[in-house]
Amino acid sequence: MKPAQSLLSSGSRLLLIPGRRSVGLRGFATFKPKMASEQPFAFGPYKIDPAEVFYATSLSYAMVNLRPVIPGHVLICPRREVKRFVDLSADETIDLWFTAKKVGGQLEHYHKASSLTFTIQDGPQAGQTVPHVHIHILPRKGGDFKENDEIYDAIDEKEKELKQNLNLDKERKDRSFEEMTQEAGEYRKLFL
């Protein structure tokens, strides 16, 4: 057996990535964030700086949100640019939801929330403004919205604002890069 690999009783291989901290099963390897000089992540036509990513596997990544609806509102995306949910491979679908589950659980605890909202806007008529599958995760607390379903209207509004912002002025006016990287740094600690 090679030193970088070991067999588990289930028959799955344990994936060890040199220079990376965490280990996962079946390709679910987490990593320490890449340095800014390394390749950014793709989010549709946009590039996401690795400093904004706080968790990743071989197929998915979690990033902080440019315009969060509530504290802890993050996005989970496949690494491959995939426009629609039905176009994900089976492995990508499993990995995306596995990542959402893991990230959601950590953020619910971190933000002292009592529930989570997971949502996907799949296609432009569903409110998707960036043509790349992504799951919104929002840690929820009692009374965070007057009516519970108002959260979906808030997500739609932020998505529309984001599209206008990215298309018109290219500047991140809502949250600075520093704010976003600081938040990602805090969340990154949850997965060490």
Side-chain angles (χ1 to χ4, degrees):
M1 189 177 318
K2 294 179 182 177
Q5 295 179 344
S6 65
L7 247 6
L8 299 177
S9 59
S10 68
S12 297
R13 289 206 180 267
L14 187 61
L15 179 63
L16 298 176
I17 301 174
R20 306 263 165 100
R21 176 167 170 63
S22 300
V23 177
L25 302 176
R26 301 186 65 200
F28 299 119
T30 62
F31 73 107
K32 284 190 171 183
K34 297 178 180 182
M35 295 306 199
S37 62
E38 291 188 45
Q39 201 68 290
F41 290 81
F43 184 47
Y46 310 107
K47 300 301 173 216
I48 303 300
D49 190 290
E52 298 171 56
V53 173
F54 61 91
Y55 181 82
T57 69
S58 60
L59 298 174
S60 303
Y61 67 93
M63 68 175 171
V64 296
N65 200 328
L66 177 64
R67 295 184 178 207
V69 172
I70 57 176
H73 178 186
V74 300
L75 303 177
I76 310 298
C77 309
R79 283 184 180 253
R80 182 172 66 96
E81 186 180 334
V82 181
K83 292 180 182 179
R84 299 291 310 278
F85 185 76
V86 297
D87 296 324
L88 292 168
S89 71
D91 286 342
E92 287 170 325
T93 303
I94 291 166
D95 190 82
L96 195 71
W97 284 107
F98 178 82
T99 299
K101 176 184 172 185
K102 184 170 188 167
V103 168
Q106 291 292 339
L107 292 180
E108 180 176 351
H109 179 73
Y110 180 84
H111 286 282
K112 298 177 177 55
S114 57
S115 301
L116 294 167
T117 293
F118 294 87
T119 186
I120 297 176
Q121 295 159 301
D122 191 30
Q125 286 70 42
Q128 181 185 35
T129 56
V130 176
H132 190 133
V133 173
H134 54 286
I135 301 172
H136 293 261
I137 300 179
L138 301 98
R140 302 292 306 275
K141 296 178 180 179
D144 55 6
F145 285 86
K146 185 177 178 182
E147 298 292 328
N148 190 48
D149 284 350
E150 288 176 359
I151 195 162
Y152 302 110
D153 293 333
I155 292 169
D156 285 343
E157 188 59 35
K158 293 292 183 182
E159 289 273 323
K160 288 175 190 169
E161 290 172 10
L162 177 62
K163 184 174 183 175
Q164 287 178 330
N165 186 49
L166 291 172
N167 287 341
L168 297 178
D169 62 7
K170 306 283 186 206
E171 289 183 29
R172 296 179 170 201
K173 293 184 178 178
D174 282 80
R175 296 202 312 161
S176 70
F177 178 73
E178 291 76 22
E179 287 174 298
M180 293 174 67
T181 58
Q182 181 180 2
E183 180 182 29
E186 287 299 311
Y187 294 163
R188 208 171 286 119
K189 294 173 189 174
L190 301 174
F191 302 96
L192 296 176

